């Protein structure tokens, strides 16, 4: 039988997250205090995060147990299915075998609840009353809003202004779970007011929205900040994706030669890739890892690996990462979840170690790939996920050219049901590609902080 879908039972769901830091040949560079430039301490992070998440952020333990209450909620949609893309393979006439892990079956429609649920749980047991966050396309904001409803926590979301207006249904979705959604930059924070004074028509950016959320969080002891990507503990929580995929591919009697994921902050890529990367680090497997990003926000392909702030107002610690500069404000292309100036420090470190290759594509090619996928497989991807689809299709076509029967795995991190305006604009010929020149990149990097390390 030509099996299409590989599913695990609830009792086969992972009971621990995988921490790749335990297996890295070189430890990550330290996180630095924004004022002193010295390595940050756990106490420095306490205004933003509960103790358990701070411990996970710095942990070197290989396996970290998933709390029972988190597992109970995970079982609402996990384990998620792994599909063999047989119709796509036929449409591409490729000898490659293509598999995709589908995270769009979660209540929020993406992979983001994998970290939203544990973050809300750890904050709840720490006595926190309110969570503040930012969101780009709205998938993270939707997921934290869902988690807030489950744990009876107030949620406030600063949504990048261009997405706030582009995606009214995503905003309404968050509000349906009880969240308050604010267009960023706003007049509610000092950081927002400063941006609006200098740029009254600002479309916003994830860096600006982070500044607003962090500013509010540090002013109230009963409020904490939650982040949907970038941080170590966020990438940790997403590894349930890859751990499940390992078991499902074993059911299929297969193993990936190539793993593809889209990258904005790095969480969904790490989620699918890191559990497989353990085998590469041990020397057991030779796997090609491909991180795909938008050409309009080319953090990995054109950014610099150096210390930078995670936000525009410089309220966050300094981390070593691939960055375009914290003042970088990308144009309002539709993959809002990939419009971040930086990249997860842990993922950046792994790229620097030579374990991952990066590619950048324009949005027109990505939307075309998404429609090819939808017409073959029946699932309409989110604009962000289209980048992974494009990367996987390119690898499959390369296999066709070379006559190589390789196995490709990618993470389909969310559906596009709230992104129909983007697809309408694409099919109407209204979208344009944007690619930044080397001169523009140099200007964006000119304001990087000077670190004497």
């Amino acid at each position: 039988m030509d099996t299409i879908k590989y599913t695990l039972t609830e009792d086969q769901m992972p009971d621990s997250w995988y921490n790749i830091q335990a297996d890295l040949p070189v430890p990550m560079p330290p996180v630095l205090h924004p004022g002193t430039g010295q390595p940050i301490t756990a106490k420095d992070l306490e205004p933003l995060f509960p103790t358990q998440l701070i411990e996970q952020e710095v942990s070197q333990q290989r396996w970290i147990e998933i709390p029972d209450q988190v597992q109970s909620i995970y079982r609402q949609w996990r384990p998620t299915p792994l599909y063999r893309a047989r119709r796509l393979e036929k449409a591409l006439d490729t000898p490659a075998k293509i598999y995709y892990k589908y995270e769009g079956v979660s209540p929020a429609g993406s992979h983001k609840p994998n970290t939203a649920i544990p973050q809300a749980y750890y904050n709840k047991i720490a006595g926190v009353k309110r969570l503040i966050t930012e969101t780009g396309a709205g998938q993270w904001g939707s997921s934290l809003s869902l988690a807030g409803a489950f744990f009876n926590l107030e949620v406030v979301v600063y949504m990048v202004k261009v997405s706030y207006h582009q995606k009214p249904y995503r905003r309404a979705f968050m509000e349906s779970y009880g969240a308050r959604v604010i267009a960023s930059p706003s007049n509610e924070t000092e950081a927002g007011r400063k941006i609006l004074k200098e740029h009254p028509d600002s479309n916003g950016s994830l860096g600006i929205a982070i500044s607003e959320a962090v500013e509010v969080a540090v002013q109230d002891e009963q409020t904490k900040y939650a982040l949907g990507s970038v941080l170590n503990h966020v990438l940790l929580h997403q590894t349930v994706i890859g751990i499940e995929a390992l078991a499902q591919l074993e059911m299929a009697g297969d193993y990936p030669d190539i793993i593809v994921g889209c990258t904005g902050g790095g969480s969904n890529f790490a989620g699918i890739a890191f559990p497989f990367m353990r085998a590469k680090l041990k020397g057991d497997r030779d796997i090609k890892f491909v991180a795909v990003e938008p050409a309009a926000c080319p953090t990995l392909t054109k950014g610099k690996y150096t210390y930078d702030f995670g936000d525009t107002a410089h309220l966050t610690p300094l981390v070593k990462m691939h960055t375009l500069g914290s003042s970088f404000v990308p144009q309002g292309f539709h993959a809002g979840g990939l419009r971040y100036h930086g990249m997860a420090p842990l993922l950046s470190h792994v790229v620097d170690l030579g374990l991952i290759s990066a590619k950048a594509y324009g949005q027109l090619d990505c939307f075309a790939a998404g429609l090819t996928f939808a017409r073959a497989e029946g699932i309409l991807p989110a604009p962000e996920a289209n980048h992974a689809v494009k990367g996987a299709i390119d690898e499959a076509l390369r296999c066709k050219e070379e006559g190589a029967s390789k196995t490709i795995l990618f993470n389909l991190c969310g559906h596009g049901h709230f992104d129909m305006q983007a697809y309408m604009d694409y099919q109407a010929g209204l979208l344009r590609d944007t690619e930044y020149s080397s001169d523009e990149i140099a200007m964006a990097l000119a304001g990087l902080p000077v670190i004497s390390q």
Side-chain angles (χ1 to χ4, degrees), residues 421-442:
Q421 187 62 53
Y423 280 98
M424 290 166 62
D425 290 347
Y426 169 74
Q427 298 198 84
L430 299 177
L431 299 187
R432 298 288 181 270
D433 280 336
T434 301
E435 187 165 348
Y436 287 89
S437 69
S438 56
D439 288 343
E440 289 172 312
I441 297 295

Side-chain angles (χ1 to χ4, degrees), residues 67-86:
D68 289 343
Q69 196 169 350
V70 172
Q71 290 190 56
S72 177
I73 295 176
Y74 272 180
R75 285 194 286 271
Q76 181 87 17
W77 70 93
R78 303 211 72 86
T80 60
L82 177 79
Y83 289 95
R84 171 80 181 271
R86 295 185 182 274

Side-chain angles (χ1 to χ4, degrees), residues 102 139 166-167 170 332-336 363-375 378-390 393 410 412-432:
Y102 185 41
Q139 290 187 344
Q166 281 177 344
K167 304 174 187 292
R170 180 62 74 176
F333 60 94
H334 275 283
Q363 66 175 347
L364 297 182
D365 285 345
C366 292
F367 273 103
L371 290 178
T372 296
F373 179 85
R375 290 164 185 170
I379 299 172
L380 189 68
E384 293 81 8
N386 281 339
H387 291 71
V389 173
K390 169 64 176 170
I393 287 177
F410 74 94
L412 187 61
C413 57
H415 65 63
H417 300 172
F418 290 102
D419 301 286
M420 297 316 302
Q421 187 62 53
Y423 280 98
M424 290 166 62
D425 290 347
Y426 169 74
Q427 298 198 84
L430 299 177
L431 299 187
R432 298 288 181 270

Side-chain angles (χ1 to χ4, degrees), residues 183-237:
S184 173
S186 75
N187 280 306
E188 298 201 3
T189 67
E190 182 179 340
R193 289 189 292 271
K194 182 179 179 181
I195 293 292
L196 289 173
K197 183 177 180 180
E198 296 175 2
H199 306 283
D201 298 324
S202 173
N203 278 330
S205 70
L206 280 166
I208 295 170
I210 291 171
S211 294
E212 294 205 83
V214 169
E215 179 183 322
V216 174
V218 298
Q219 294 174 353
D220 183 356
E221 290 185 358
Q222 293 191 325
T223 298
K224 296 292 184 184
Y225 172 62
L227 188 63
S229 192
V230 179
L231 297 176
N232 296 344
H233 68 265
V234 180
L235 275 58
L236 170 78
H237 300 156

